[in-house]
Amino acid sequence: MSRRPAAVAASVLTLVALGGVSACSGNSSASAGTSGSTPTVKLMAGGLDKQIYLPYQLAQQLGYYKKYGVNVELSTEQDGGVGAEEAMASGQVDMAGAWYNHTIEFQAKGKAVEDVVQLSGAPGEREMCTKKSGVTSGADFKGKTLGVTDLGSGTDTLTQFLAAKKGVKTSEFHRIGVGAGSTAIAALQNGKVDCVMTTQPTVAAIQKKGVGTSAIDLATTRGATAALGGAFPAASVLARTDWVNSHKDTVQKVVDALVATMHWINTHSAADIANKLPASYVSNQLVTKADYIAALTEDKGQFLPDGLMPAGGPKTSLATEKLVGNVKGSVDLGKTFTNDFALQADKTEGFNTTTIPAGPNG
């Protein structure tokens, strides 16, 4: 998201292509309807090496895109570059691995974008604060300087929402963009911020260095529900509604692969997952592999097992957008997501669904 969290060590990876298939525009996937051909989809994620976005790459590592008959070219957004959701909306890529709340923001701007498969029921974020900050909830944000990925990002929205729920106005605290990874850690170390909202593996690195502790947990569905008032659907796959309608078979293949991946995550350990991911994701200048596994074990509860948008999730997201002033008019939540593809994927594979799906009103 940017309007998103930035990728940790994003320079590690700029493009991962499957099967040597050449890059394509959104229209290139029209080949899905041609006998004997395999459709190609370009998907940009808001940081492929971040734990909150690991399903996109894991599906590749497991060979699931190929298994379900689609070539998926993965790319990761860069600090200061075009956000995944913006690249999707402008047609630079076909799909975005980004947070669900962007569909609400796009609708408010008159753009039809929808969530076709939901991967998490929590933001996967933690408010990491210095010991001297005294922050334990949004009520303590008054007078503080808080780090977010970028101004206008999802972490920025959540930070404002946590404050607003406790009656603290945006004018009563200061927000600055600090990115993620080493830049976020440095902001805490140097006293530039009192807290920073960030994800794994940056969280683990902050804890290991002793420069901050988790003050607010938004990393699991349970933690998000306690802090935000309900499940907060975050990592998902977004696409323009017109593109979805003209590429339904292709969308189904992508969703099939990701639903199978979510089932695999649900039935395997954090160590199993780490062993499947690229080595640079799980062991780098921020964390060791052991750190990565420990962090994923702690926060694995953010991932949904069946790809379904959870009941109440869209309403929680809309309430967040309205409270911080991103959306002022009415929103038709039924047009911001669909469970049709995920339900079909679960049915095809014989997976038992455990997530209570959201209805058309969210």
PDB file of all heavy atoms in Angstrom, residues 210-247:
ATOM      1  N   GLY A 210      16.132  -4.082  21.010  1.00  0.00           N
ATOM      2  CA  GLY A 210      15.746  -3.477  22.278  1.00  0.00           C
ATOM      3  C   GLY A 210      15.367  -2.018  22.171  1.00  0.00           C
ATOM      4  O   GLY A 210      15.426  -1.283  23.171  1.00  0.00           O
ATOM      5  N   VAL A 211      14.962  -1.568  20.975  1.00  0.00           N
ATOM      6  CA  VAL A 211      14.640  -0.146  20.806  1.00  0.00           C
ATOM      7  C   VAL A 211      13.137   0.127  20.882  1.00  0.00           C
ATOM      8  O   VAL A 211      12.715   1.291  20.835  1.00  0.00           O
ATOM      9  CB  VAL A 211      15.192   0.399  19.471  1.00  0.00           C
ATOM     10  CG1 VAL A 211      16.703   0.312  19.469  1.00  0.00           C
ATOM     11  CG2 VAL A 211      14.605  -0.351  18.280  1.00  0.00           C
ATOM     12  N   GLY A 212      12.323  -0.927  20.999  1.00  0.00           N
ATOM     13  CA  GLY A 212      10.886  -0.732  21.091  1.00  0.00           C
ATOM     14  C   GLY A 212      10.163  -2.014  21.430  1.00  0.00           C
ATOM     15  O   GLY A 212      10.710  -3.114  21.266  1.00  0.00           O
ATOM     16  N   THR A 213       8.953  -1.859  21.944  1.00  0.00           N
ATOM     17  CA  THR A 213       8.123  -3.020  22.278  1.00  0.00           C
ATOM     18  C   THR A 213       6.733  -2.840  21.667  1.00  0.00           C
ATOM     19  O   THR A 213       6.334  -1.727  21.315  1.00  0.00           O
ATOM     20  CB  THR A 213       7.977  -3.184  23.801  1.00  0.00           C
ATOM     21  OG1 THR A 213       7.406  -1.975  24.348  1.00  0.00           O
ATOM     22  CG2 THR A 213       9.316  -3.447  24.457  1.00  0.00           C
ATOM     23  N   SER A 214       6.007  -3.931  21.555  1.00  0.00           N
ATOM     24  CA  SER A 214       4.679  -3.887  20.958  1.00  0.00           C
ATOM     25  C   SER A 214       3.676  -3.299  21.953  1.00  0.00           C
ATOM     26  O   SER A 214       3.405  -3.872  23.006  1.00  0.00           O
ATOM     27  CB  SER A 214       4.251  -5.304  20.557  1.00  0.00           C
ATOM     28  OG  SER A 214       2.936  -5.306  20.056  1.00  0.00           O
ATOM     29  N   ALA A 215       3.128  -2.128  21.612  1.00  0.00           N
ATOM     30  CA  ALA A 215       2.167  -1.460  22.490  1.00  0.00           C
ATOM     31  C   ALA A 215       0.733  -1.769  22.080  1.00  0.00           C
ATOM     32  O   ALA A 215      -0.161  -1.852  22.929  1.00  0.00           O
ATOM     33  CB  ALA A 215       2.397   0.048  22.469  1.00  0.00           C
ATOM     34  N   ILE A 216       0.498  -1.918  20.780  1.00  0.00           N
ATOM     35  CA  ILE A 216      -0.836  -2.219  20.265  1.00  0.00           C
ATOM     36  C   ILE A 216      -0.709  -3.305  19.211  1.00  0.00           C
ATOM     37  O   ILE A 216       0.062  -3.171  18.258  1.00  0.00           O
ATOM     38  CB  ILE A 216      -1.510  -0.972  19.645  1.00  0.00           C
ATOM     39  CG1 ILE A 216      -1.568   0.163  20.661  1.00  0.00           C
ATOM     40  CG2 ILE A 216      -2.912  -1.310  19.146  1.00  0.00           C
ATOM     41  CD1 ILE A 216      -2.076   1.480  20.087  1.00  0.00           C
ATOM     42  N   ASP A 217      -1.458  -4.389  19.385  1.00  0.00           N
ATOM     43  CA  ASP A 217      -1.395  -5.533  18.482  1.00  0.00           C
ATOM     44  C   ASP A 217      -2.506  -5.473  17.446  1.00  0.00           C
ATOM     45  O   ASP A 217      -3.684  -5.604  17.768  1.00  0.00           O
ATOM     46  CB  ASP A 217      -1.502  -6.831  19.298  1.00  0.00           C
ATOM     47  CG  ASP A 217      -1.701  -8.068  18.431  1.00  0.00           C
ATOM     48  OD1 ASP A 217      -1.341  -8.020  17.239  1.00  0.00           O
ATOM     49  OD2 ASP A 217      -2.206  -9.084  18.954  1.00  0.00           O
ATOM     50  N   LEU A 218      -2.111  -5.275  16.197  1.00  0.00           N
ATOM     51  CA  LEU A 218      -3.043  -5.373  15.079  1.00  0.00           C
ATOM     52  C   LEU A 218      -2.586  -6.496  14.150  1.00  0.00           C
ATOM     53  O   LEU A 218      -2.980  -6.558  12.990  1.00  0.00           O
ATOM     54  CB  LEU A 218      -3.086  -4.061  14.290  1.00  0.00           C
ATOM     55  CG  LEU A 218      -3.479  -2.790  15.050  1.00  0.00           C
ATOM     56  CD1 LEU A 218      -3.428  -1.587  14.125  1.00  0.00           C
ATOM     57  CD2 LEU A 218      -4.870  -2.942  15.644  1.00  0.00           C
ATOM     58  N   ALA A 219      -1.763  -7.381  14.691  1.00  0.00           N
ATOM     59  CA  ALA A 219      -1.130  -8.402  13.858  1.00  0.00           C
ATOM     60  C   ALA A 219      -1.945  -9.670  13.714  1.00  0.00           C
ATOM     61  O   ALA A 219      -1.687 -10.478  12.820  1.00  0.00           O
ATOM     62  CB  ALA A 219       0.249  -8.746  14.421  1.00  0.00           C
ATOM     63  N   THR A 220      -2.904  -9.878  14.581  1.00  0.00           N
ATOM     64  CA  THR A 220      -3.738 -11.067  14.506  1.00  0.00           C
ATOM     65  C   THR A 220      -5.203 -10.648  14.441  1.00  0.00           C
ATOM     66  O   THR A 220      -5.561  -9.524  14.801  1.00  0.00           O
ATOM     67  CB  THR A 220      -3.538 -11.968  15.740  1.00  0.00           C
ATOM     68  OG1 THR A 220      -3.943 -11.249  16.916  1.00  0.00           O
ATOM     69  CG2 THR A 220      -2.075 -12.375  15.884  1.00  0.00           C
ATOM     70  N   THR A 221      -6.043 -11.557  13.977  1.00  0.00           N
ATOM     71  CA  THR A 221      -7.472 -11.254  13.893  1.00  0.00           C
ATOM     72  C   THR A 221      -8.027 -10.918  15.275  1.00  0.00           C
ATOM     73  O   THR A 221      -8.834  -9.991  15.429  1.00  0.00           O
ATOM     74  CB  THR A 221      -8.242 -12.447  13.302  1.00  0.00           C
ATOM     75  OG1 THR A 221      -7.694 -12.745  12.008  1.00  0.00           O
ATOM     76  CG2 THR A 221      -9.721 -12.126  13.138  1.00  0.00           C
ATOM     77  N   ARG A 222      -7.575 -11.640  16.290  1.00  0.00           N
ATOM     78  CA  ARG A 222      -8.031 -11.378  17.657  1.00  0.00           C
ATOM     79  C   ARG A 222      -7.596  -9.997  18.126  1.00  0.00           C
ATOM     80  O   ARG A 222      -8.381  -9.238  18.699  1.00  0.00           O
ATOM     81  CB  ARG A 222      -7.488 -12.448  18.607  1.00  0.00           C
ATOM     82  CG  ARG A 222      -7.894 -12.238  20.070  1.00  0.00           C
ATOM     83  CD  ARG A 222      -7.327 -13.337  20.953  1.00  0.00           C
ATOM     84  NE  ARG A 222      -7.874 -14.649  20.602  1.00  0.00           N
ATOM     85  CZ  ARG A 222      -7.535 -15.790  21.195  1.00  0.00           C
ATOM     86  NH1 ARG A 222      -6.630 -15.778  22.161  1.00  0.00           N
ATOM     87  NH2 ARG A 222      -8.075 -16.927  20.822  1.00  0.00           N
ATOM     88  N   GLY A 223      -6.332  -9.645  17.869  1.00  0.00           N
ATOM     89  CA  GLY A 223      -5.824  -8.346  18.285  1.00  0.00           C
ATOM     90  C   GLY A 223      -6.509  -7.206  17.548  1.00  0.00           C
ATOM     91  O   GLY A 223      -6.844  -6.183  18.147  1.00  0.00           O
ATOM     92  N   ALA A 224      -6.730  -7.392  16.248  1.00  0.00           N
ATOM     93  CA  ALA A 224      -7.393  -6.361  15.456  1.00  0.00           C
ATOM     94  C   ALA A 224      -8.821  -6.142  15.929  1.00  0.00           C
ATOM     95  O   ALA A 224      -9.300  -5.004  16.000  1.00  0.00           O
ATOM     96  CB  ALA A 224      -7.379  -6.740  13.983  1.00  0.00           C
ATOM     97  N   THR A 225      -9.506  -7.224  16.256  1.00  0.00           N
ATOM     98  CA  THR A 225     -10.885  -7.113  16.723  1.00  0.00           C
ATOM     99  C   THR A 225     -10.951  -6.334  18.033  1.00  0.00           C
ATOM    100  O   THR A 225     -11.825  -5.486  18.231  1.00  0.00           O
ATOM    101  CB  THR A 225     -11.510  -8.510  16.912  1.00  0.00           C
ATOM    102  OG1 THR A 225     -11.515  -9.188  15.644  1.00  0.00           O
ATOM    103  CG2 THR A 225     -12.929  -8.410  17.429  1.00  0.00           C
ATOM    104  N   ALA A 226      -9.990  -6.598  18.932  1.00  0.00           N
ATOM    105  CA  ALA A 226      -9.964  -5.904  20.212  1.00  0.00           C
ATOM    106  C   ALA A 226      -9.669  -4.415  20.042  1.00  0.00           C
ATOM    107  O   ALA A 226     -10.279  -3.570  20.704  1.00  0.00           O
ATOM    108  CB  ALA A 226      -8.918  -6.543  21.124  1.00  0.00           C
ATOM    109  N   ALA A 227      -8.751  -4.083  19.144  1.00  0.00           N
ATOM    110  CA  ALA A 227      -8.328  -2.689  18.993  1.00  0.00           C
ATOM    111  C   ALA A 227      -9.214  -1.874  18.053  1.00  0.00           C
ATOM    112  O   ALA A 227      -9.395  -0.672  18.246  1.00  0.00           O
ATOM    113  CB  ALA A 227      -6.886  -2.640  18.484  1.00  0.00           C
ATOM    114  N   LEU A 228      -9.769  -2.544  17.037  1.00  0.00           N
ATOM    115  CA  LEU A 228     -10.498  -1.825  15.999  1.00  0.00           C
ATOM    116  C   LEU A 228     -12.002  -2.036  16.054  1.00  0.00           C
ATOM    117  O   LEU A 228     -12.755  -1.362  15.348  1.00  0.00           O
ATOM    118  CB  LEU A 228      -9.983  -2.239  14.616  1.00  0.00           C
ATOM    119  CG  LEU A 228      -8.486  -2.034  14.374  1.00  0.00           C
ATOM    120  CD1 LEU A 228      -8.094  -2.597  13.011  1.00  0.00           C
ATOM    121  CD2 LEU A 228      -8.111  -0.558  14.472  1.00  0.00           C
ATOM    122  N   GLY A 229     -12.439  -3.000  16.866  1.00  0.00           N
ATOM    123  CA  GLY A 229     -13.878  -3.244  16.989  1.00  0.00           C
ATOM    124  C   GLY A 229     -14.409  -4.321  16.066  1.00  0.00           C
ATOM    125  O   GLY A 229     -15.616  -4.573  16.018  1.00  0.00           O
ATOM    126  N   GLY A 230     -13.514  -4.978  15.326  1.00  0.00           N
ATOM    127  CA  GLY A 230     -13.941  -6.054  14.430  1.00  0.00           C
ATOM    128  C   GLY A 230     -12.788  -6.508  13.567  1.00  0.00           C
ATOM    129  O   GLY A 230     -11.715  -5.880  13.545  1.00  0.00           O
ATOM    130  N   ALA A 231     -12.993  -7.617  12.861  1.00  0.00           N
ATOM    131  CA  ALA A 231     -11.964  -8.086  11.944  1.00  0.00           C
ATOM    132  C   ALA A 231     -11.684  -6.989  10.924  1.00  0.00           C
ATOM    133  O   ALA A 231     -12.595  -6.311  10.448  1.00  0.00           O
ATOM    134  CB  ALA A 231     -12.426  -9.361  11.236  1.00  0.00           C
ATOM    135  N   PHE A 232     -10.420  -6.793  10.601  1.00  0.00           N
ATOM    136  CA  PHE A 232     -10.035  -5.761   9.635  1.00  0.00           C
ATOM    137  C   PHE A 232      -9.379  -6.458   8.452  1.00  0.00           C
ATOM    138  O   PHE A 232      -8.217  -6.842   8.514  1.00  0.00           O
ATOM    139  CB  PHE A 232      -9.072  -4.765  10.267  1.00  0.00           C
ATOM    140  CG  PHE A 232      -8.762  -3.578   9.389  1.00  0.00           C
ATOM    141  CD1 PHE A 232      -9.494  -2.404   9.505  1.00  0.00           C
ATOM    142  CD2 PHE A 232      -7.735  -3.628   8.446  1.00  0.00           C
ATOM    143  CE1 PHE A 232      -9.212  -1.304   8.698  1.00  0.00           C
ATOM    144  CE2 PHE A 232      -7.450  -2.535   7.635  1.00  0.00           C
ATOM    145  CZ  PHE A 232      -8.191  -1.378   7.763  1.00  0.00           C
ATOM    146  N   PRO A 233     -10.133  -6.655   7.360  1.00  0.00           N
ATOM    147  CA  PRO A 233      -9.566  -7.346   6.202  1.00  0.00           C
ATOM    148  C   PRO A 233      -8.443  -6.533   5.580  1.00  0.00           C
ATOM    149  O   PRO A 233      -8.646  -5.378   5.210  1.00  0.00           O
ATOM    150  CB  PRO A 233     -10.763  -7.484   5.254  1.00  0.00           C
ATOM    151  CG  PRO A 233     -11.704  -6.388   5.654  1.00  0.00           C
ATOM    152  CD  PRO A 233     -11.519  -6.215   7.132  1.00  0.00           C
ATOM    153  N   ALA A 234      -7.278  -7.111   5.486  1.00  0.00           N
ATOM    154  CA  ALA A 234      -6.123  -6.376   4.972  1.00  0.00           C
ATOM    155  C   ALA A 234      -5.641  -6.993   3.657  1.00  0.00           C
ATOM    156  O   ALA A 234      -6.207  -6.730   2.609  1.00  0.00           O
ATOM    157  CB  ALA A 234      -5.022  -6.335   6.021  1.00  0.00           C
ATOM    158  N   ALA A 235      -4.596  -7.823   3.702  1.00  0.00           N
ATOM    159  CA  ALA A 235      -4.007  -8.364   2.473  1.00  0.00           C
ATOM    160  C   ALA A 235      -5.042  -9.088   1.623  1.00  0.00           C
ATOM    161  O   ALA A 235      -5.786  -9.938   2.101  1.00  0.00           O
ATOM    162  CB  ALA A 235      -2.867  -9.315   2.824  1.00  0.00           C
ATOM    163  N   SER A 236      -5.070  -8.733   0.346  1.00  0.00           N
ATOM    164  CA  SER A 236      -6.068  -9.293  -0.560  1.00  0.00           C
ATOM    165  C   SER A 236      -5.546  -9.195  -1.985  1.00  0.00           C
ATOM    166  O   SER A 236      -4.409  -8.800  -2.214  1.00  0.00           O
ATOM    167  CB  SER A 236      -7.376  -8.518  -0.426  1.00  0.00           C
ATOM    168  OG  SER A 236      -7.184  -7.157  -0.802  1.00  0.00           O
ATOM    169  N   VAL A 237      -6.377  -9.545  -2.940  1.00  0.00           N
ATOM    170  CA  VAL A 237      -6.061  -9.316  -4.345  1.00  0.00           C
ATOM    171  C   VAL A 237      -7.129  -8.396  -4.910  1.00  0.00           C
ATOM    172  O   VAL A 237      -8.325  -8.710  -4.860  1.00  0.00           O
ATOM    173  CB  VAL A 237      -6.018 -10.631  -5.156  1.00  0.00           C
ATOM    174  CG1 VAL A 237      -5.864 -10.323  -6.651  1.00  0.00           C
ATOM    175  CG2 VAL A 237      -4.858 -11.511  -4.684  1.00  0.00           C
ATOM    176  N   LEU A 238      -6.699  -7.253  -5.422  1.00  0.00           N
ATOM    177  CA  LEU A 238      -7.608  -6.251  -5.973  1.00  0.00           C
ATOM    178  C   LEU A 238      -7.457  -6.190  -7.489  1.00  0.00           C
ATOM    179  O   LEU A 238      -6.356  -6.362  -8.016  1.00  0.00           O
ATOM    180  CB  LEU A 238      -7.297  -4.869  -5.388  1.00  0.00           C
ATOM    181  CG  LEU A 238      -7.142  -4.748  -3.876  1.00  0.00           C
ATOM    182  CD1 LEU A 238      -6.898  -3.289  -3.496  1.00  0.00           C
ATOM    183  CD2 LEU A 238      -8.360  -5.294  -3.151  1.00  0.00           C
ATOM    184  N   ALA A 239      -8.565  -5.924  -8.160  1.00  0.00           N
ATOM    185  CA  ALA A 239      -8.535  -5.750  -9.610  1.00  0.00           C
ATOM    186  C   ALA A 239      -9.676  -4.837 -10.029  1.00  0.00           C
ATOM    187  O   ALA A 239     -10.683  -4.718  -9.329  1.00  0.00           O
ATOM    188  CB  ALA A 239      -8.654  -7.101 -10.319  1.00  0.00           C
ATOM    189  N   ARG A 240      -9.511  -4.179 -11.157  1.00  0.00           N
ATOM    190  CA  ARG A 240     -10.582  -3.340 -11.679  1.00  0.00           C
ATOM    191  C   ARG A 240     -11.780  -4.218 -12.030  1.00  0.00           C
ATOM    192  O   ARG A 240     -11.631  -5.302 -12.609  1.00  0.00           O
ATOM    193  CB  ARG A 240     -10.102  -2.585 -12.920  1.00  0.00           C
ATOM    194  CG  ARG A 240      -8.926  -1.657 -12.661  1.00  0.00           C
ATOM    195  CD  ARG A 240      -8.522  -0.891 -13.922  1.00  0.00           C
ATOM    196  NE  ARG A 240      -8.362  -1.751 -15.081  1.00  0.00           N
ATOM    197  CZ  ARG A 240      -7.274  -2.482 -15.329  1.00  0.00           C
ATOM    198  NH1 ARG A 240      -6.260  -2.486 -14.456  1.00  0.00           N
ATOM    199  NH2 ARG A 240      -7.205  -3.225 -16.419  1.00  0.00           N
ATOM    200  N   THR A 241     -12.954  -3.761 -11.699  1.00  0.00           N
ATOM    201  CA  THR A 241     -14.159  -4.548 -11.922  1.00  0.00           C
ATOM    202  C   THR A 241     -14.356  -4.871 -13.404  1.00  0.00           C
ATOM    203  O   THR A 241     -14.756  -5.994 -13.745  1.00  0.00           O
ATOM    204  CB  THR A 241     -15.385  -3.810 -11.371  1.00  0.00           C
ATOM    205  OG1 THR A 241     -15.233  -3.665  -9.951  1.00  0.00           O
ATOM    206  CG2 THR A 241     -16.666  -4.583 -11.652  1.00  0.00           C
ATOM    207  N   ASP A 242     -14.048  -3.944 -14.283  1.00  0.00           N
ATOM    208  CA  ASP A 242     -14.204  -4.226 -15.710  1.00  0.00           C
ATOM    209  C   ASP A 242     -13.245  -5.327 -16.156  1.00  0.00           C
ATOM    210  O   ASP A 242     -13.593  -6.174 -16.988  1.00  0.00           O
ATOM    211  CB  ASP A 242     -14.037  -2.956 -16.555  1.00  0.00           C
ATOM    212  CG  ASP A 242     -12.667  -2.310 -16.426  1.00  0.00           C
ATOM    213  OD1 ASP A 242     -11.910  -2.665 -15.500  1.00  0.00           O
ATOM    214  OD2 ASP A 242     -12.347  -1.435 -17.265  1.00  0.00           O
ATOM    215  N   TRP A 243     -12.047  -5.340 -15.596  1.00  0.00           N
ATOM    216  CA  TRP A 243     -11.070  -6.385 -15.931  1.00  0.00           C
ATOM    217  C   TRP A 243     -11.534  -7.735 -15.394  1.00  0.00           C
ATOM    218  O   TRP A 243     -11.436  -8.750 -16.086  1.00  0.00           O
ATOM    219  CB  TRP A 243      -9.698  -6.025 -15.363  1.00  0.00           C
ATOM    220  CG  TRP A 243      -8.597  -6.924 -15.850  1.00  0.00           C
ATOM    221  CD1 TRP A 243      -7.849  -6.754 -16.981  1.00  0.00           C
ATOM    222  CD2 TRP A 243      -8.137  -8.126 -15.236  1.00  0.00           C
ATOM    223  NE1 TRP A 243      -6.949  -7.792 -17.120  1.00  0.00           N
ATOM    224  CE2 TRP A 243      -7.098  -8.640 -16.056  1.00  0.00           C
ATOM    225  CE3 TRP A 243      -8.491  -8.823 -14.079  1.00  0.00           C
ATOM    226  CZ2 TRP A 243      -6.417  -9.823 -15.749  1.00  0.00           C
ATOM    227  CZ3 TRP A 243      -7.813 -10.011 -13.771  1.00  0.00           C
ATOM    228  CH2 TRP A 243      -6.786 -10.502 -14.598  1.00  0.00           C
ATOM    229  N   VAL A 244     -12.044  -7.754 -14.171  1.00  0.00           N
ATOM    230  CA  VAL A 244     -12.553  -8.997 -13.589  1.00  0.00           C
ATOM    231  C   VAL A 244     -13.679  -9.563 -14.458  1.00  0.00           C
ATOM    232  O   VAL A 244     -13.703 -10.765 -14.773  1.00  0.00           O
ATOM    233  CB  VAL A 244     -13.074  -8.766 -12.148  1.00  0.00           C
ATOM    234  CG1 VAL A 244     -13.774 -10.020 -11.618  1.00  0.00           C
ATOM    235  CG2 VAL A 244     -11.925  -8.380 -11.218  1.00  0.00           C
ATOM    236  N   ASN A 245     -14.603  -8.721 -14.850  1.00  0.00           N
ATOM    237  CA  ASN A 245     -15.755  -9.173 -15.632  1.00  0.00           C
ATOM    238  C   ASN A 245     -15.361  -9.727 -16.997  1.00  0.00           C
ATOM    239  O   ASN A 245     -16.050 -10.604 -17.539  1.00  0.00           O
ATOM    240  CB  ASN A 245     -16.754  -8.033 -15.811  1.00  0.00           C
ATOM    241  CG  ASN A 245     -17.468  -7.675 -14.521  1.00  0.00           C
ATOM    242  OD1 ASN A 245     -17.527  -8.479 -13.591  1.00  0.00           O
ATOM    243  ND2 ASN A 245     -18.002  -6.468 -14.449  1.00  0.00           N
ATOM    244  N   SER A 246     -14.262  -9.252 -17.547  1.00  0.00           N
ATOM    245  CA  SER A 246     -13.831  -9.729 -18.862  1.00  0.00           C
ATOM    246  C   SER A 246     -12.774 -10.825 -18.792  1.00  0.00           C
ATOM    247  O   SER A 246     -12.345 -11.346 -19.833  1.00  0.00           O
ATOM    248  CB  SER A 246     -13.288  -8.555 -19.699  1.00  0.00           C
ATOM    249  OG  SER A 246     -12.180  -7.946 -19.070  1.00  0.00           O
ATOM    250  N   HIS A 247     -12.358 -11.193 -17.575  1.00  0.00           N
ATOM    251  CA  HIS A 247     -11.333 -12.228 -17.408  1.00  0.00           C
ATOM    252  C   HIS A 247     -11.700 -13.185 -16.263  1.00  0.00           C
ATOM    253  O   HIS A 247     -10.862 -13.577 -15.465  1.00  0.00           O
ATOM    254  CB  HIS A 247      -9.972 -11.597 -17.111  1.00  0.00           C
ATOM    255  CG  HIS A 247      -9.429 -10.746 -18.199  1.00  0.00           C
ATOM    256  ND1 HIS A 247      -9.791  -9.431 -18.370  1.00  0.00           N
ATOM    257  CD2 HIS A 247      -8.566 -11.023 -19.214  1.00  0.00           C
ATOM    258  CE1 HIS A 247      -9.149  -8.923 -19.417  1.00  0.00           C
ATOM    259  NE2 HIS A 247      -8.414  -9.876 -19.952  1.00  0.00           N
TER     260      HIS A 247
END
